[in-house]
């Protein structure tokens, strides 16, 4: 046991993921009752995620107020904001385009035969989880084009905090930060001192929570697998295999983002090396993979980027919370691949105009996706709605949309884990890039 605790954090988490998988396989093969896992394993995973979420809002509030106050003047804030949003947009458009190029070259949809497609759609089309997703998308779709802007402004900051509405909290914290800049040090000093102290305490709490991360991750992974396999593990594996080409296309795109695009970005804008970067953020990536939630991972992302990559707090406290909600490169890439894949499966050819439409809608849809498990798939429905071919009736097309989502549901949780890891990696890479060559302090050790 002692030996395990001495291992670096990322190795502890990797071991937890592996043992979670092995345990689940043994459990499933031994005919274990899934209810046992629901009652006795999953709750510990839930507690772990709740602990992370518990500190996310106070952390963002405290670190962002201190961060803006530290910037010292408004022009610096607008410069930082402009640079951040510009780089976030560029990486998301790149991700969507890479997804589109790959799906057009590999053409996974053309590799699936008609019979298999029909049987998978048939299997899922009446499932409650599909219905939930479709109704979630319908709610989003009803709102007007400026709704995201309206949603950013809280009418009650306590409710916003209670609901975990990250962008609203970011908005509020920035306003408070700006106000501290104009009232002078005498008035703002006590608040900034308080927030500073809260911030440091939360950093300590993150260390405590990460100490139990191996247990949390083990419980999350094993209960998830037991749940997914359900009563028919062999059937689950077969469907995964059928959707193999589609999954490979998404994974290839995600790898390109992580190992080509982000390192190139950092090479241009910063002096952080490839190895140093990955070493610094490894635990955050693994946590994103295990939880499928960039919001839940946010506290750890902030801690890693500040304490292990040395990015100054005024940059990280602004760039990372914003990124966890609006910058989802993995999600936008997945959405563009999935949209074209579904159309290929249903024999709908998308012309250049429709593909450009996918770049636009997938970029917007990923910005609108919440950093929680499965959010990207709900927003995918909106991307699909945007490419309805001329001449096809509404009802005919809605059959394709529902059938398409039913088709790709099986591997979605796994792909969600991978795209969330890329979402978080992207936030960190952009944060390091925005900090640039001067926005870092030296860190004494890059070890876990
Ligand atoms: N789970 C992803 C995230 O939290 C969002 C998605 O479903 O793509 O980043």
């Amino acid at each position: 046991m002692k030996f395990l605790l001495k291992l670096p954090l990322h190795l502890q988490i990797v071991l937890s993921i592996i043992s979670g998988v092995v345990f689940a396989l043994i459990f499933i093969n031994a005919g274990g009752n899934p209810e046992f896992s629901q009652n006795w394993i999953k709750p510990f995973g839930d507690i772990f995620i709740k602990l992370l979420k518990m500190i996310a809002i106070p952390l963002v509030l405290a670190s962002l107020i201190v961060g803006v106050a530290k910037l010292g003047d408004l022009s610096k804030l607008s410069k930082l904001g402009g640079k951040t949003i510009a780089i976030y947009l560029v990486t998301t458009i790149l991700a969507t385009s890479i997804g589109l190029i790959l799906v057009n070259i590999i053409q996974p949809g053309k590799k699936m035969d008609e019979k298999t497609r029909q049987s998978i759609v048939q299997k899922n089309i009446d499932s409650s989880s599909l219905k939930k997703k479709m109704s979630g998308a319908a709610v989003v779709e009803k709102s007007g084009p400026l709704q995201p802007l309206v949603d950013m402004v809280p009418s009650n900051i306590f409710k916003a905090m209670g609901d975990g509405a990250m962008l609203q909290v970011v908005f509020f914290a920035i306003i408070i930060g700006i106000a501290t800049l104009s009232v002078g040090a005498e008035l703002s000093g006590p608040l900034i001192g308080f927030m500073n102290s809260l911030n440091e305490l939360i950093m300590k709490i993150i260390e405590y929570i990460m100490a139990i991360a191996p247990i949390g991750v083990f419980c999350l992974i094993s209960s998830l697998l037991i749940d997914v396999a359900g009563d028919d593990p062999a059937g689950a594996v077969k469907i995964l295999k059928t959707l193999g080409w589609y999954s490979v296309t998404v994974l290839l795109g995600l790898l390109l983002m992580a190992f080509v695009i982000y390192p190139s970005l950092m090479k241009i804008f910063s002096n952080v090396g490839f190895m140093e970067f990955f070493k610094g953020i490894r635990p955050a990536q693994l946590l994103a993979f295990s939880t499928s939630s960039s919001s839940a991972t946010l506290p750890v992302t902030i801690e890693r980027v500040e304490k292990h990559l040395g990015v100054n707090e005024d940059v990280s406290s602004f760039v990372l919370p914003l990124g966890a909600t609006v910058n989802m490169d993995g999600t936008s890439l997945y959405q563009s691949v999935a949209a074209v894949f579904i159309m290929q499966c249903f024999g709908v050819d998308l012309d250049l105009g429709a593909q450009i439409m996918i770049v636009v809608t997938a970029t917007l849809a990923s910005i609108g996706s919440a950093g929680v498990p499965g959010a990207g798939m709900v927003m995918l429905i909106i991307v699909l709605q945007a490419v309805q071919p001329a001449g096809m009736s509404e009802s005919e097309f809605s059959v394709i949309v529902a059938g398409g989502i039913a088709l790709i549901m099986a591997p979605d949780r796994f792909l969600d884990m991978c795209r969330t890891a890329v979402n978080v990696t992207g936030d960190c890479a952009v944060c390091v890039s925005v900090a640039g060559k001067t926005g870092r302090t030296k860190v004494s050790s890059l070890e876990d």
Side-chain angles (χ1 to χ4, degrees):
M1 192 64 192
K2 264 210 172 128
F3 152 78
L4 284 178
L5 289 178
K6 275 202 189 127
L7 285 177
L9 182 59
H10 71 278
L11 282 185
Q12 290 184 28
I13 302 181
V14 169
L15 273 182
S16 298
I17 295 177
I18 297 174
S19 38
V21 172
V22 172
F23 173 81
L25 290 179
I26 296 174
F27 187 92
I28 295 165
N29 281 316
N33 185 353
E35 234 173 72
F36 174 84
S37 142
Q38 282 289 324
N39 291 338
W40 297 101
I41 302 176
K42 189 167 174 287
F44 293 103
D46 291 344
I47 290 176
F48 175 61
I49 294 203
K50 277 178 124 180
L51 285 172
L52 286 168
K53 285 190 176 163
M54 172 184 87
I55 50 166
I57 296 283
L59 172 63
V60 168
L61 193 67
S63 71
L64 198 48
I65 291 176
V66 175
V68 175
K70 263 195 195 160
L71 277 176
D73 81 74
L74 273 183
S75 67
K76 277 196 195 147
L77 178 66
S78 56
K79 235 169 109 186
L80 178 68
K83 196 171 169 190
T84 307
I85 291 169
I87 306 186
Y88 272 156
L89 257 183
V90 170
T91 56
T92 307
I93 293 175
L94 266 177
T96 324
S97 313
I98 289 178
L100 271 188
I101 293 172
L102 288 176
V103 74
N104 279 301
I105 295 176
I106 300 176
Q107 305 220 329
K110 304 244 160 98
K111 295 185 168 66
M112 176 175 279
D113 66 88
E114 179 65 18
K115 237 176 85 199
T116 322
R117 173 176 71 79
Q118 277 179 4
S119 81
I120 300 178
V121 171
Q122 216 56 49
K123 189 169 179 283
N124 294 330
I125 199 81
D126 287 324
S127 68
S128 58
S129 107
L130 176 70
K131 286 191 183 126
K132 226 164 92 192
K133 291 200 160 74
M134 300 303 286
S135 58
V139 172
V140 179
E141 236 199 344
K142 268 202 200 116
S143 45
L146 289 185
Q147 196 58 38
L149 214 59
V150 177
D151 288 344
M152 247 175 62
V153 184
S155 57
N156 177 342
I157 187 57
F158 297 103
K159 183 167 185 306
M161 290 199 256
D163 292 346
M166 194 60 84
L167 275 190
Q168 298 191 350
V169 175
V170 166
F171 181 88
F172 179 73
I174 290 177
I175 303 247
I176 295 266
I178 291 174
T180 63
L181 293 178
S182 40
V183 296
E186 204 186 324
L187 257 179
S188 62
L191 178 80
I192 296 173
F194 170 76
M195 289 297 173
N196 215 349
S197 143
L198 180 63
N199 196 14
E200 286 307 315
L201 291 180
I202 294 177
M203 287 290 173
K204 198 78 224 148
I205 297 175
I206 294 176
E207 280 176 31
Y208 301 152
I209 299 178
M210 287 313 275
I212 58 160
I215 301 173
V217 167
F218 172 86
C219 295
L220 282 173
I221 297 281
S222 55
S223 61
L224 175 72
L225 276 180
I226 292 169
D227 186 37
V228 168
D231 307 325
D232 181 16
V237 173
K238 204 171 142 219
I239 292 186
L240 282 183
K241 274 196 190 143
T242 321
L243 286 155
W245 278 109
Y246 155 70
S247 306
V248 164
T249 312
V250 175
L251 293 177
L252 201 63
L254 295 179
L255 287 175
L256 277 176
M257 287 306 293
F259 295 104
V260 179
I261 301 294
Y262 297 140
S264 316
L265 185 75
M266 287 187 292
K267 205 166 175 64
I268 299 171
F269 288 105
S270 77
N271 51 8
V272 179
F274 180 78
M275 286 314 284
E276 181 189 0
F277 176 71
F278 279 97
K279 241 174 137 178
I281 66 160
R282 263 180 321 208
Q285 290 174 312
L286 288 166
L287 212 58
F289 179 82
S290 313
T291 60
S292 285
S293 168
S294 11
S295 294
T297 311
L298 180 63
V300 181
T301 315
I302 294 180
E303 195 261 353
R304 297 308 298 187
V305 170
E306 279 178 16
K307 304 269 184 223
H308 299 261
L309 291 178
V311 171
N312 290 342
E313 185 184 36
D314 42 7
V315 174
S316 61
S317 66
F318 176 76
V319 179
L320 292 172
L322 198 68
T325 23
V326 304
N327 181 54
M328 301 204 175
D329 301 339
T331 300
S332 67
L333 186 143
Y334 144 82
Q335 285 169 336
S336 62
V337 173
V340 179
F341 168 73
I342 289 171
M343 294 304 162
Q344 287 172 352
C345 285
F346 285 88
V348 179
D349 275 326
L350 296 174
D351 57 16
L352 188 67
Q355 304 243 7
I356 292 174
M357 194 65 195
I358 289 184
V359 175
V360 177
T361 48
T363 301
L364 294 175
S366 69
I367 292 175
S369 303
V372 296
M377 191 185 224
V378 173
M379 298 303 276
L380 167 65
I381 299 171
I382 315 255
V383 179
L384 286 170
Q385 310 278 22
V387 289
Q388 177 173 350
M392 189 179 277
S393 74
E394 192 83 31
S395 60
E396 248 179 302
F397 193 64
S398 63
V399 173
I400 295 191
V401 173
I405 300 293
L407 187 65
I408 59 166
M409 256 163 64
D412 199 65
R413 183 57 196 238
F414 176 66
L415 295 180
D416 193 2
M417 295 162 90
C418 300
R419 65 186 186 245
T420 308
V422 170
N423 288 345
V424 168
T425 307
D427 297 342
C428 297
V430 173
C431 187
V432 164
S433 306
V434 171
K437 299 196 162 81
T438 52
R440 290 206 304 152
T441 39
K442 275 258 164 295
V443 275
S444 49
S445 143
L446 284 170
E447 287 311 308
D448 283 307

